[in-house]
Amino acid sequence: MELIIKELDALPDAAQQLLDYAGDRNIFCFSGNLGAGKTTFIKALCAHLDVREAVTSPTYSLINEYTYPDDFGNEKVLRHMDLYRLNQPEEAFAIGLEDYLYGDDLTFIEWFEIVEDWLPDDAVIIKIEMLPDSSRKMIFL
C-alpha cells in the first residue's frame, strides 16, 4: 500500500489506514532517512490509539513505553524503540528485544535494519521517503 502525505493534518487518516492494513499484526518497523518523519508518524499513531503519555523520541533511552485503552477499556502496552545508536544486533538483544518481538504488545521500531534478520515474518514495514516538494511517500509492506 502506498500513500502520499502532503500535510501533517493527513497523518491521522494515514494512521488509521496503517492500522487497518496491519490487521492483527503487532510489530511495526519504520524506515526512512533522518528527518523523514518516522517519529512524527508514530506520534500520530499513538494519538489515534489514545496513548495517555506524552510521546517522545526514544533516541537516548532506546525504548519508551506507553499505555492505551483497548476496545474494551483495558490498559494495553505499546513500546516505541529507536535502534539508531546501536552498532551490533547483540546490543538490541541485550535490552530484551527478543521478548518484544515475540510478545503480544504493540511494538514500534525505528531504525530496525540492524535486527531485520530476526524480525517475525509478519512484521509490518513502513518506508517513509521525503519527496522534492517536502511531502512524504509512505509504503506499507
Side-chain angles (χ1 to χ4, degrees):
M1 175 176 207
E2 184 177 308
L3 302 173
I4 301 294
I5 305 298
K6 295 185 179 198
E7 302 198 9
L8 288 175
D9 62 3
L11 288 178
D13 185 52
Q16 181 62 58
Q17 288 185 56
L18 173 59
L19 294 171
D20 289 345
Y21 174 83
D24 291 336
R25 298 183 284 173
N26 65 325
I27 305 298
F28 295 77
C29 301
F30 297 82
S31 174
N33 292 333
L34 282 171
K38 295 178 295 297
T39 302
T40 299
F41 188 43
I42 289 171
K43 287 179 181 182
L45 284 162
C46 289
H48 182 77
L49 292 167
D50 294 325
V51 165
R52 297 177 180 117
E53 300 85 3
V55 177
T56 60
S57 175
T59 300
Y60 297 102
S61 62
L62 299 179
I63 303 171
N64 288 346
E65 192 170 284
Y66 308 111
T67 56
Y68 67 98
D70 69 8
D71 293 337
F72 305 102
N74 299 311
E75 189 170 280
K76 302 291 283 184
V77 174
L78 182 154
R79 291 185 178 87
H80 177 193
M81 300 180 183
D82 185 328
L83 305 181
Y84 180 75
R85 296 185 318 117
L86 301 186
N87 297 309
Q88 302 292 324
E90 294 77 19
E91 293 174 286
F93 291 101
I95 62 170
L97 179 70
E98 192 169 21
D99 294 334
Y100 303 134
L101 291 179
Y102 296 98
D104 295 329
D105 297 323
L106 280 179
T107 302
F108 296 161
I109 308 171
E110 296 184 52
W111 302 100
F112 70 92
E113 292 83 358
I114 194 167
V115 296
E116 190 166 12
D117 292 341
W118 290 275
L119 294 174
D121 292 336
D122 66 347
V124 180
I125 308 296
I126 301 96
K127 294 183 178 185
I128 303 175
E129 298 176 27
M130 293 184 285
L131 300 177
D133 66 355
S134 296
S135 61
R136 304 298 195 262
K137 177 168 54 170
M138 293 186 182
I139 302 170
F140 306 156
L141 304 170

